[in-house]
Amino acid sequence: MKVITRAGWNARDPKNRLTVPWSTRTEFFVHHTDGPPTQTLRSIQDFHMGTSRGWSDIGYNFLVDDDGVIYEGRGWLVVGAHCPNHNRTGIGVAYIGENDPTDAAKRSIRRLYDEACRKAGRPLKKLGHGDRYPTECPGSKLQAWVNAGMPAELVDAPAKNPTEDIVNALPVLSVGADCYDVKTVRALLFARGGLNEKVYGGAVGLRSWQESTKYDAALCEDVKAFQRRSKLADDGVVGPLTYAALLRVS
Ligand SMILES: [Zn+2]
């Protein structure tokens, strides 16, 4: 769970700061800022610390945006300013927006909830602001989501092998090709060994062989031999599987 720290969003220092122990925390409140999703953290903090609110800091313990980015507000154990009579017992997390939270935003709120329960050592009560105070906050959609138990698909997509993209982006080469990539294939074939130097007339011949950008019949035979050694279909076509074997990333 990645959290943008206060320094990361250029937070002002709080006017004061009161903390409670985890044993005091029993509730987890979901809010919305009720502003456009483009609101900046600093504008929310300025509003909360300004004359209309006059709080010591941004009111919430954490905030999340539509991209699922989590921002540190007051942090886990600082008493917030988000729900009267529940600021000591409750952790307040706000969705930056009005009433159209993305799945990513909900996932991040759920991650914060799970993390809070883990830190507290017990499950916290899931609440919308409106459950404990007469307000429309956190909006009908988030409130329904809280009422449903804050369901979220938290399994991350399996990490992609970055070399897969590289290999798939390389040009497929076969007899007749004439381009710089052929030289790369020659260099890789040479690095992997198994070439018959006699055929290329020793070191000098080998060098001119390596310099050629032409995918000729002789190269095709070398590629086929390499494919057989690599237990690949020996079709003489340099595609993703052959590249992966040449690069040893398969
Ligand atoms: Zn609220």
Side-chain angles (χ1 to χ4, degrees):
M1 197 176 75
K2 193 172 174 296
V3 177
I4 306 290
T5 63
R6 294 175 67 89
W9 57 267
N10 193 28
R12 289 161 62 184
D13 288 335
K15 290 181 215 159
N16 59 64
R17 208 172 164 271
L18 176 67
T19 60
V20 289
W22 272 108
S23 57
T24 302
R25 297 297 203 193
T26 55
E27 302 162 312
F28 184 97
F29 281 88
V30 177
H31 299 266
H32 65 169
T33 60
D34 204 17
T38 49
Q39 274 174 302
T40 64
L41 272 283
R42 255 312 267 273
S43 71
I44 299 165
Q45 185 188 35
D46 287 343
F47 174 61
H48 286 180
M49 294 177 77
T51 46
S52 68
R53 291 287 187 271
W55 297 336
S56 61
D57 193 358
I58 195 166
Y60 313 108
N61 297 96
F62 289 93
L63 301 93
V64 306
D65 68 15
D66 269 331
D67 291 328
V69 177
I70 298 170
Y71 302 89
E72 180 185 27
R74 298 195 184 196
W76 292 113
L77 293 175
V78 178
V79 174
H82 59 88
C83 184
N85 301 318
H86 293 269
N87 289 314
R88 297 174 63 85
T89 49
I91 292 165
V93 172
Y95 161 63
I96 301 171
E98 290 165 26
N99 197 22
D100 207 12
T102 60
D103 285 346
K106 286 187 280 193
R107 266 199 302 277
S108 290
I109 296 172
R110 180 55 195 262
R111 282 205 171 89
L112 282 164
Y113 172 78
D114 290 345
E115 180 72 0
C117 296
R118 196 184 65 74
K119 286 176 178 289
R122 63 192 185 289
L124 304 179
K125 191 161 180 56
K126 296 168 181 164
L127 294 164
H129 190 181
D131 288 322
R132 291 291 180 271
Y133 192 81
T135 173
E136 294 291 307
C137 180
S140 57
K141 289 182 184 172
L142 275 178
Q143 185 63 56
W145 179 71
V146 171
N147 293 347
M150 295 169 40
E153 180 58 68
L154 294 177
V155 180
D156 288 317
K160 258 186 95 177
N161 179 351
T163 54
E164 212 176 292
D165 285 342
I166 298 169
V167 166
N168 286 334
L170 292 167
V172 174
L173 299 173
S174 56
V175 173
D178 186 352
C179 57
Y180 187 85
D181 300 290
V182 173
K183 271 178 72 171
T184 305
V185 167
R186 289 176 183 274
L188 287 166
L189 268 180
F190 179 69
R192 298 294 161 247
L195 296 174
N196 185 351
E197 282 200 32
K198 258 189 221 159
V199 174
Y200 304 106
V204 175
L206 191 60
R207 204 167 300 125
S208 66
W209 175 86
Q210 278 183 270
E211 288 299 310
S212 171
T213 60
K214 290 186 169 56
Y215 195 116
D216 53 22
L219 178 61
C220 188
E221 289 312 308
D222 290 326
V223 168
K224 284 180 180 175
F226 172 78
Q227 289 174 326
R228 284 191 290 274
R229 291 201 300 281
S230 306
K231 313 254 184 298
L232 297 170
D234 58 340
D235 57 5
V237 177
V238 183
L241 292 176
T242 303
Y243 275 121
L246 284 168
L247 292 161
R248 293 194 174 152
V249 294
S250 54

